[in-house]
Amino acid sequence: MENLIALLVAAPLLGAAVLLCGGRRLDRAGHWLGTLLAAVSFVLGVVLFADMLGRAGDDRTLYQRLFSWIPVEGFQADIAFQLDQLSMTFVLLITGVGTLIHVYSVGYMEHDERRRRFFGYLNLFLAAMLLLVLADNYLLLYFGWEGVGLASYLLIGFWQHKPSAATAAKKAFLVNRVGDIGLSIAIMLMFATFGTFAFGPVFGAVGETSEGMLTAMGLMLLLAACGKSAQVPLQSWLGDAMEGPTPVSALIHAATMVTAGVYLITRSAAIFNAAPTAQLAVVVVGAVTLLFGAIVGCAKDDIKKALAGSTMSQIGYMILAAGLGPIGYAFAIMHLVTHGFFKAGLFLGAGSVMHGMNDEVDMRKYGGLRKYMPITFVTFGLGYLAIIGFPGLSGFWSKDKIIEAAFAKGGTEGWILGGVALLGAGITAYYMTRVMLLTFFGEKRWQPAPDPDTAPGVEPGVEVQPGAMPHPHESPRSMTVPMILLAFGSVFAGGLFSYGDAFVNWLTPVTDFEHGHPPVGAAAITSATVAVLLVGVAVAYAQYGRKPVPVTAPRGSLLTRAARRDLLQDDFNHVVLVRGGEHLTRSLVYVDHTLVDGVVNGTAASMGGLSGRMRKLQNGFARSYAVSMFGGAAVLIAATLLMRAV
């Protein structure tokens, strides 16, 4: 079975190579080839999963070494894979949800003349993410990490003829490069400290390493996670990334990219467990981002950007859980998987709405769509109930466990973290209820189709004449079937994972799960969570369900205006980083011109002046030389006579 591991990566990688290099002859069938190879990878994952279930818990880790990548004395890097319970979980999520997104894209991108290339990029995305989670060392993981960054750049900017899409792609790429510096420094520290970057030797030597060095590694790994998973302070790219086609948004938010940071921290558990300061930083980042994304999601009228704020917040829950250590790792991954189902379903549902609404993204111009798009309404609604943590659905089982684990931390820290997680649950219920009400309920507020050349956020997937009124309708089966399958996951996955602590037991050999002891009973925490959820739903209904919704958003409070601008994150980056960089550059230029150039030019001028004076002694006249010789001789004779007299 070990020999099948490499094929998991090879199948979509082959698809990317063929589709991107095969030329226009593949335009008619290229999308089906890309989908087939994604499905092949999923089938291989299921086969390996079945084999893994048949093994004992301590015998479930498989290795496959292909060849030596960098065979240098003292520096050995291999192309080798490690498949254990953690990476197996990600393999099934990436290939399963990824395949459904491929199927959905067949219908969604039907009218795009560059569809073959789009599917090539999708295959590349899957291959890079699979390489990331299957690598058995940090250097190979870094290779997949950068591949994910490249694929996201290509897909976010797929419609590069739109300036907003091209800008969003560059923004995502550059912000992630900041985080990637952290990962590269962490790998360098590992090699300098351990002499290797393979998982086994690194984790085995953690106990012999100073806490300061482990803290430095942990903080650099956290910086990398912040970039890929859009956590504070590197979260600014995620909202703009919605400029890409909607299937890309679903893939980034549910199965790839933003989940990479959670994987990195969980995989590096041995380092963080031995570095309490770095672990505390992880908790703080998760708690802050949890609220940050939720607040941003409350003020967005763009349906995709509201869901993007939601992703930022939900990943914050996962990072928070991972920062709690052994009591939280399994719940972080459990929420990641359930989130993969309902967030993919929500984004595909948003794409279905846009498909029937002339690619309009403004929810204030929707209303009453449940009558016209019943399948989209039901599947999106189930995803909505799952993400707010409605009792019995997937999000309830996974998010409630994270809240319990936060309280289980104990002491003041536990109550603060638990309170933040509880507050986030209430805000989540509020903004997601707002999305449901604005989109599917109330009176229709439809507007003529905008001009795709001037209106930001408009996707050119379906050619619609500007000014045409929407005719909402249900999407084709290629789009609705994946939504239905994801809805099943949104409903049942959490309950299946929680039955008999199945998911926790599955990951325990990798995460060393420890049970916490909440300061109050789990039943009380669950009751409080449900109560907060209902309050959030009630507030949203009072604002958007019982009153007419204006097509143009009112000015709102100062906090609302700030949330519409992503809590001024871009403004902060512009003032501190862009302006700060400009001032730093000008200062360096001034120093270069005045100090460096001054020294260089001054030295050159001095030598020039000296050479000019020396040149006067070399005038070419024999009489001048004779006089000089006579004067020199006279000086020597005078000096000799003076010395004898003394």
Side-chain angles (χ1 to χ4, degrees), residues 454-605:
T454 60
V458 175
E459 299 188 2
V462 180
E463 296 183 3
V464 178
Q465 292 297 326
M469 287 298 293
H471 296 284
H473 56 279
E474 192 57 85
S475 299
R477 288 184 179 180
S478 62
M479 296 171 65
T480 57
V481 170
M483 291 159 54
I484 293 171
L485 295 176
L486 290 169
F488 275 97
S490 301
V491 175
F492 299 111
L496 292 175
F497 294 161
S498 298
Y499 183 75
D501 289 332
F503 196 85
V504 169
N505 294 334
W506 165 257
L507 284 182
T508 293
V510 181
T511 60
D512 296 325
F513 177 75
E514 294 178 2
H515 286 279
H517 301 283
V520 293
I525 295 177
T526 300
S527 299
T529 303
V530 173
V532 169
L533 178 158
L534 294 176
V535 170
V537 171
V539 172
Y541 179 75
Q543 290 185 346
Y544 297 96
R546 303 183 62 182
K547 301 177 182 178
V549 178
V551 175
T552 303
R555 180 176 175 81
S557 65
L558 180 62
L559 178 60
T560 300
R561 296 197 299 273
R564 287 175 185 155
R565 295 172 60 88
D566 300 325
L567 292 180
L568 308 180
Q569 55 183 319
D570 285 333
D571 302 82
F572 175 84
N573 291 341
H574 185 76
V575 172
V576 175
L577 300 179
V578 178
R579 291 282 181 85
E582 290 176 351
H583 291 311
L584 177 61
T585 302
R586 290 169 184 167
S587 300
L588 293 175
V589 170
Y590 176 79
V591 170
D592 181 61
H593 286 171
T594 57
L595 181 61
V596 179
D597 288 354
V599 171
V600 173
N601 295 335
T603 302

Side-chain angles (χ1 to χ4, degrees), residues 35 83 94 175 194 273 326 359 463 474 491 500 556 571 589 603:
T35 303
L83 183 66
I94 294 165
V175 172
F194 307 117
N273 291 342
D359 287 326
E463 296 183 3
E474 192 57 85
V491 175
D571 302 82
V589 170
T603 302

Side-chain angles (χ1 to χ4, degrees), residues 36 168 188 206 220 228 273 311 317 467 471 474 484 500 619 631 634:
L36 175 63
M188 294 177 198
V206 162
M220 291 298 100
K228 278 290 181 289
N273 291 342
T311 297
Y317 271 104
H471 296 284
E474 192 57 85
I484 293 171
N619 54 20

Side-chain angles (χ1 to χ4, degrees), residues 621-628:
F621 294 112
R623 59 179 180 272
S624 298
Y625 300 152
V627 171
S628 298

